Amino acid sequence: MGTNEEETNLTKAVPLNVGETGMLSLVTDSETGEIVAIDSSSLLQLPAGEAFLVVRRGTLEGTKFALSGAQKISIGRTADSGIFLDDVTVSRKHATVELIGNSWTLTDEGSLNGTYVNKHRVVKSSLVNGDEVQIGKFRFVFALASSAGE
């Protein structure tokens, strides 16, 4: 096990609360069943300058992971990953996300199953508000609360 200092550096899943009213609503397309983009008015209720990866599909559906511009965040199947995804479709060190300049960048770290942004396999991609990110069986939406990173 890691030390308490190491554990505090991990990105923790947090409830997707918006103000006092509850969760950010995820809406599905009535014809396809696909989850559509998060309503931009919901994003206005999030704290300014914050970015999140919100799980749209997978065992953690409805969970958001807060992203910090001060660090590169690892995503993978190892317990020491900043965003820990416990599934065999996810590589141990699958991807990283970081703020480079004023743009959030997702980088595949040589994963076996690939990293996808808006259903296109990528090695490196700048993220914009509403992008769908797929890592293994997990699908996320990238949510940016303000103009930081756009």
Side-chain angles (χ1 to χ4, degrees):
M1 286 299 226
T3 66
N4 286 339
E5 183 178 330
E6 289 172 345
E7 290 171 1
T8 60
N9 290 332
L10 298 177
T11 299
K12 301 293 184 194
V14 293
L16 189 55
N17 293 328
V18 178
E20 297 176 21
T21 60
M23 307 290 272
L24 261 178
S25 57
L26 297 178
V27 180
T28 58
D29 182 293
S30 59
E31 292 180 19
T32 65
E34 288 283 317
I35 297 174
V36 296
I38 290 177
D39 179 20
S40 60
S41 64
S42 297
L43 292 174
L44 295 174
Q45 299 174 36
L46 294 172
E50 293 196 20
F52 303 92
L53 283 176
V54 182
V55 182
R56 299 176 110 179
R57 188 169 296 160
T59 56
L60 300 172
E61 188 171 336
T63 304
K64 75 174 180 177
F65 293 93
L67 304 178
S68 168
Q71 62 185 5
K72 180 187 277 192
I73 299 165
S74 61
I75 304 169
R77 203 176 71 229
T78 61
D80 65 344
S81 296
I83 298 176
F84 172 61
L85 303 175
D86 190 16
D87 189 85
V88 295
T89 61
V90 177
S91 294
R92 288 181 185 93
K93 296 181 187 236
H94 199 104
T96 56
V97 64
E98 65 183 316
L99 185 61
I100 299 175
N102 64 351
S103 179
W104 285 97
T105 302
L106 177 71
T107 304
D108 183 89
E109 297 294 336
S111 67
L112 179 63
N113 292 322
T115 300
Y116 296 80
V117 175
N118 300 322
K119 299 184 181 180
H120 298 283
R121 191 171 182 156
V122 298
V123 173
K124 187 176 230 178
S125 179
S126 291
L127 297 174
V128 296
N129 201 22
D131 276 350
E132 181 182 75
V133 174
Q134 182 171 348
I135 295 175
K137 287 196 245 182
F138 296 88
R139 286 191 186 175
F140 302 84
V141 65
F142 176 72
L144 186 61
S146 75
S147 61
E150 284 190 319

